[in-house]
Amino acid sequence: SFGVIADIQYADAEDGYDFGGCRRRYYRHSLGLLRGAVQEWAAARPPLAFVLQLGDCIDGLNARRGEAEGALEQVLAALRQLPVPVHHAWGNHEFYNFSRARLAHTGLNSRPAAAGPPAGDCQAYHCSPAPRLRLVVLDAYDLSILGREPDSPRYLESMRLLREKNPNDNLNSPAGLKEPHFVEFNGGFSQAQLDWFDEVLKFSDEKQEKVVVMGHLPIHPDASDRVCLAWNYKDALSVIHSHQCVVCFLAGHLHDGGYCLDSHGVHHLTLEGVIETPPESSAFGTIYVYEDKMVLKGRGRISDRVMHF
């Protein structure tokens, strides 16, 4: 079994609202909800194998207030109470607070030192937490203009792609776009990462493993709205669909959450965000893995779900 949580977006700030001005965000309370989740996971019997933190653990507000380091330390201190490994995805709010180079030297870098490819500063990696089960962590901002030096090749490549698809003055605005997910607060997967992903899944097919994939951004339109998808989500899907082994793709980013079972029998679960969860509720889950299914036990805003494979 393993824990799942998304979009904590902690800041030591009064409640605010989303960019649309209508969804309440409980910045200060999100840390309390995280601590509640940690307490329950730490007491779980039998013990969990690991926890997945699906990105955006601190809010962009912290950068403007000069509180990024302190906020991150609070979140990491809560997670350090867990007796098991935590795997972190990096989301857009991480990059509002830190450069990619800086993040690599924080507790949010869960990539093992000897992880091997993909090369460069891509954060993707894989591991096998139990026999015949593989976890793949994808880097959904490998292609992105967030967190990178403006003169770096990857920044220039990402800006070219974004400009091609989004002529708006405000690159965070999807207004009028044929492909509304081409906005600055999303990102994508480099070809090198997709090739590496393909090789990992080939290996898992051969070993007859079941694979759980996680990343900050959803990759299926039916488990997201039209805006919150990875830029080249179709490429990631086609890699997954060319193999037998993937049973589930876990994402955050869309605070309402989402779910679908796709045409190839892969479950796409987008977790509801902690940040928009009232203090008296909660938003986390524990997933129990069996030979033929995964069972999600949700708390608060997250529903129970049985995912057969």
Side-chain angles (χ1 to χ4, degrees):
S1 59
F2 61 92
V4 285
I5 195 162
D7 297 270
I8 301 158
Q9 286 183 224
Y10 168 65
D12 184 11
E14 296 301 321
D15 293 356
Y17 288 87
D18 69 345
F19 54 89
C22 46
R23 307 283 296 274
R24 195 172 181 120
R25 294 193 163 174
Y26 304 92
Y27 296 111
R28 196 168 278 139
H29 291 290
S30 65
L31 187 62
L33 298 191
L34 170 63
R35 286 172 176 154
V38 165
Q39 219 172 343
E40 187 165 322
W41 287 329
R45 291 293 171 269
L48 303 187
F50 56 91
V51 166
L52 304 183
Q53 189 275 111
L54 294 163
D56 282 3
C57 69
I58 60 173
D59 196 85
L61 266 185
N62 291 294
R64 300 198 284 281
R65 299 157 64 102
E67 295 171 359
E69 297 279 356
L72 179 58
E73 180 44 41
Q74 294 266 55
V75 167
L76 291 173
L79 290 168
R80 280 197 292 268
Q81 303 302 305
L82 289 165
V84 298
V86 181
H87 297 279
H88 298 282
W90 292 356
N92 47 311
H93 280 266
E94 273 78 31
F95 294 119
Y96 298 152
N97 284 283
F98 299 105
S99 69
R100 180 171 275 268
R102 174 74 190 96
L103 273 178
H105 296 285
T106 69
L108 286 183
N109 183 1
S110 51
R111 189 172 192 263
D121 58 7
C122 181
Q123 275 295 301
Y125 65 92
H126 64 102
C127 59
S128 176
R132 296 184 47 229
L133 178 69
R134 187 157 301 277
L135 171 68
V136 178
V137 179
L138 291 184
D139 183 347
Y141 288 83
D142 188 12
L143 285 182
S144 170
I145 63 172
L146 301 176
R148 292 191 182 279
E149 294 301 319
D151 58 352
S152 66
R154 194 47 62 78
Y155 178 98
L156 296 170
E157 177 193 353
S158 304
M159 182 58 97
R160 249 196 324 273
L161 177 62
L162 191 51
R163 276 269 166 243
E164 202 177 287
K165 303 282 192 177
N166 186 339
N168 293 333
D169 288 340
N170 176 5
L171 286 172
N172 273 322
S173 169
L177 301 185
K178 267 211 298 282
E179 298 173 276
H181 59 291
F182 277 97
V183 285
E184 183 178 327
F185 59 78
N186 294 335
F189 311 101
S190 66
Q191 192 54 52
Q193 184 178 178
L194 292 167
D195 293 345
W196 165 86
F197 187 32
D198 190 47
E199 288 299 320
V200 173
L201 297 188
K202 206 179 286 178
F203 173 84
S204 286
D205 277 348
E206 286 163 13
K207 297 276 184 226
Q208 297 188 314
E209 294 176 329
K210 301 293 185 208
V211 178
V212 174
V213 186
M214 76 176 252
H216 183 61
L217 298 175
I219 61 164
H220 201 292
D222 295 342
S224 175
D225 62 11
R226 290 187 65 219
V227 176
C228 283
L229 292 155
W231 288 347
N232 53 345
Y233 69 86
K234 289 175 184 164
D235 296 340
L237 272 179
S238 80
V239 171
I240 287 172
H241 290 164
S242 65
H243 297 278
Q244 300 298 307
C245 53
V246 177
V247 292
C248 182
F249 187 96
L250 294 158
H253 198 52
L254 178 69
H255 298 167
D256 280 344
Y259 169 80
C260 78
L261 175 63
D262 76 17
S263 56
H264 287 65
V266 178
H267 299 273
H268 294 263
L269 180 63
T270 306
L271 249 69
E272 286 79 358
V274 171
I275 183 63
E276 288 178 13
T277 303
E280 64 279 2
S281 182
S282 55
F284 68 95
T286 303
I287 294 179
Y288 299 86
V289 185
Y290 298 89
E291 277 294 311
D292 58 345
K293 64 179 181 286
M294 292 166 65
V295 177
L296 167 65
K297 286 281 176 216
R299 289 283 181 266
R301 290 173 66 210
I302 294 176
S303 312
D304 291 354
R305 192 177 293 281
V306 180
M307 298 175 277
H308 292 276
F309 45 76

